[in-house]
Amino acid sequence: MFCRSNIYKYLAFSFILSSLFGTIIYFNLTNRHQAIIKSFVFEKLGISDKEWKINHKKETYVMTSPQFLIDGIYKSMEGPKSSNYIQLTNDSSLVWVTGFHVKAIDNKSLQKISNDFVCHTNIDFNDAHYYGSFNLNDRIGKQYPRMTSLSHGLENFSFPKGYGIPMKGNEYLYVTTEALNHNFPKANFWLRHRISIDYNHDKKTKPLLSKTAFIMLPYNKYNPYKSPLDPGKNQCIPVETKNHSYDDGKGNMLSGHWVIPTGKNTYSSSINQQLSIKDSLRLHAAAIHVHPFATKISLMDKTSDKCIFTCKITNHKKGIGIDKMESFSSEKGVWLYASHDYKIELEVNNTSNTEQDMMGSMFLFFYDRELDEILNKKLIN
């Protein structure tokens, strides 16, 4: 039998060995996974405040995120993040969501700081509950249930006057916000994000249907990180193959998050399948998501050889980041047709001296005639 001193030595040796092993594994993880572990440990040890702060104003739901530690460079989708379920109201009365806002704030003073520390804020919904409540069960599971996303360069987005997304006030939304830091490798401070969602009770508001479309580029599934043999064929090197990778149904792999070389390049892909237009749809708004070094993104009608809209992106003159990103908004709307072919086209200019990561996405909002008829029947009855 082991004597007590030997047991202690064994336990001490096991602890040192496991700590060493864990440290080696930790420092071999990606920035994203290190941020997840650090956030978890800080919360468990009580170092950081894990609670969301709610300040519900009239027809504006305001929430402040837990603390985020910025202790190094965090590129897009690498930084610390937090998620929270919210209900805009306490009852099931109908509300119309009309706008979204996010800003980075100082941890202590709670005053606004640079939005260079905002990566993205996603607003998701439960499509089974949402569409089920309107008896639109054929829409369930057709696409990822993301209402919209704000990101660096587009921290504020509102629908055109008279339009909004209808939902029951006590329906749950799932809000995720993530921090960003491109330019300060020696950073060591805490911050928070403040997110606001605007809504109203105006029954004359026209309903919008959200559809997500994004560029997907083919890559070599057998050797994904090898440079394409023919860059002119719109091929790419994916940032990784676990996330944002898709099968085109023919055994070919596509990536929605890819690497761009230095200099100017243009990328595009068809979005017909993502739009899934049955007859026609009238487009009223679009929120854009791109990464730094993107300069212009457009929705193109290939059939008529016309540009439906273009959003210009202004990048920082010094450092990495986006000063401003245009969005699309139209009360009149623009018609899209099932018989036409559509694509997203993205122009980039990587002025850095190394490869960068890129995405090109659009959250497109169409007048929802079917839902409008359902809502009008309920109002009449």
Side-chain angles (χ1 to χ4, degrees):
M1 296 180 65
F2 285 113
C3 68
R4 182 173 296 179
S5 61
N6 286 336
I7 293 175
Y8 289 153
K9 290 179 182 178
Y10 177 77
L11 290 175
F13 176 76
S14 298
F15 175 77
I16 293 172
L17 187 63
S18 60
S19 297
L20 179 62
F21 183 68
T23 301
I24 293 172
I25 291 177
Y26 173 80
F27 283 105
N28 279 281
L29 293 174
T30 62
N31 266 10
R32 177 191 303 177
H33 292 100
Q34 286 185 11
I36 292 172
I37 291 173
K38 280 185 286 189
S39 296
F40 176 80
V41 171
F42 291 152
E43 289 178 3
K44 292 299 181 183
L45 294 178
I47 297 173
S48 65
D49 179 5
K50 66 178 181 180
E51 299 299 325
W52 285 72
K53 314 297 183 184
I54 306 301
N55 181 17
H56 196 170
K57 301 178 181 179
K58 183 179 180 181
E59 297 194 334
T60 301
Y61 193 99
V62 183
M63 65 203 104
T64 302
S65 77
Q67 298 166 290
F68 297 138
L69 176 64
I70 305 300
D71 60 346
I73 295 296
Y74 290 109
K75 298 180 71 174
S76 297
M77 297 183 292
E78 290 184 352
K81 61 183 179 179
S82 184
S83 302
N84 190 34
Y85 284 99
I86 68 166
Q87 295 170 296
L88 298 179
T89 67
N90 295 323
D91 57 58
S92 61
S93 60
L94 201 65
V95 299
W96 277 262
V97 178
T98 59
F100 311 87
H101 316 274
V102 62
K103 59 184 177 182
I105 60 175
D106 180 77
N107 180 51
K108 293 183 178 179
S109 69
L110 303 184
Q111 296 301 306
K112 185 181 182 302
I113 59 175
S114 171
N115 277 331
D116 282 1
F117 301 111
V118 174
C119 181
H120 63 258
T121 299
N122 297 329
I123 315 294
D124 298 333
F125 62 99
N126 185 313
D127 64 338
H129 288 168
Y130 179 78
Y131 291 125
S133 67
F134 296 119
N135 295 317
L136 294 169
N137 296 322
D138 59 327
R139 297 186 183 184
I140 297 173
K142 294 299 175 64
Q143 70 167 37
Y144 192 83
R146 177 152 295 162
M147 187 175 290
T148 194
S149 181
L150 300 172
S151 59
H152 181 38
L154 186 65
E155 295 88 9
N156 299 282
F157 176 72
S158 297
F159 299 128
K161 184 179 179 180
Y163 290 88
I165 296 178
M167 62 180 294
K168 291 182 178 180
N170 60 358
E171 189 82 35
Y172 279 101
L173 293 175
Y174 189 59
V175 179
T176 300
T177 193
E178 185 167 15
L180 179 73
N181 177 29
H182 279 298
N183 300 305
F184 304 100
K186 296 182 179 179
N188 187 24
F189 62 93
W190 297 84
L191 58 80
R192 300 174 187 262
H193 288 171
R194 181 165 290 159
I195 303 104
S196 304
I197 299 177
D198 302 325
Y199 63 94
N200 65 43
H201 294 82
D202 187 353
K203 296 179 181 179
K204 295 181 181 179
T205 305
K206 293 293 184 181
L208 291 171
L209 167 67
S210 174
K211 285 180 176 285
T212 304
F214 51 93
I215 292 176
M216 294 186 290
L217 302 176
Y219 66 86
N220 185 340
K221 64 181 179 181
Y222 301 108
N223 196 355
Y225 303 114
K226 181 180 179 180
S227 296
L229 296 176
D230 187 359
K233 288 189 176 181
N234 217 29
Q235 294 174 323
C236 79
I237 297 175
V239 172
E240 59 173 316
T241 57
K242 293 182 179 179
N243 296 298
H244 306 289
S245 281
Y246 312 90
D247 191 312
D248 69 352
K250 302 177 182 179
N252 303 309
M253 296 305 298
L254 309 172
S255 178
H257 187 201
W258 69 96
V259 174
I260 61 170
T262 57
K264 295 182 179 180
N265 284 281
T266 301
Y267 304 93
S268 66
S269 70
S270 171
I271 58 169
N272 293 337
Q273 187 175 3
Q274 296 171 34
L275 292 178
S276 298
I277 302 175
K278 295 180 181 180
D279 180 14
S280 60
L281 287 171
R282 195 170 73 228
L283 179 67
H284 287 277
I288 307 304
H289 173 72
V290 297
H291 291 181
F293 302 107
T295 57
K296 185 170 69 173
I297 188 168
S298 304
L299 177 60
M300 310 292 294
D301 185 332
K302 296 167 61 178
T303 303
S304 62
D305 194 26
K306 292 182 179 180
C307 177
I308 297 171
F309 70 81
T310 292
C311 295
K312 295 180 180 179
I313 300 106
T314 305
N315 286 263
H316 291 350
K317 292 182 179 179
K318 293 183 179 180
I320 298 174
I322 298 175
D323 286 332
K324 182 181 179 181
M325 190 190 311
E326 295 179 344
S327 56
F328 171 77
S329 179
S330 171
E331 289 186 39
K332 181 180 178 181
V334 180
W335 285 99
L336 275 65
Y337 305 97
S339 59
H340 286 213
D341 289 329
Y342 299 97
K343 71 174 181 177
I344 294 177
E345 186 173 278
L346 174 70
E347 294 182 13
V348 305
N349 183 16
N350 182 1
T351 55
S352 73
N353 57 7
T354 187
E355 294 178 336
Q356 300 289 343
D357 61 293
M358 185 56 61
M359 299 183 83
S361 306
M362 294 181 174
F363 298 91
L364 302 169
F365 300 92
F366 300 90
Y367 166 61
D368 196 333
R369 180 173 55 189
E370 185 180 14
L371 182 52
D372 202 9
E373 292 174 355
I374 292 172
L375 296 175
N376 285 329
K377 286 180 180 178
K378 287 186 176 181
L379 290 175
I380 293 173
N381 296 331

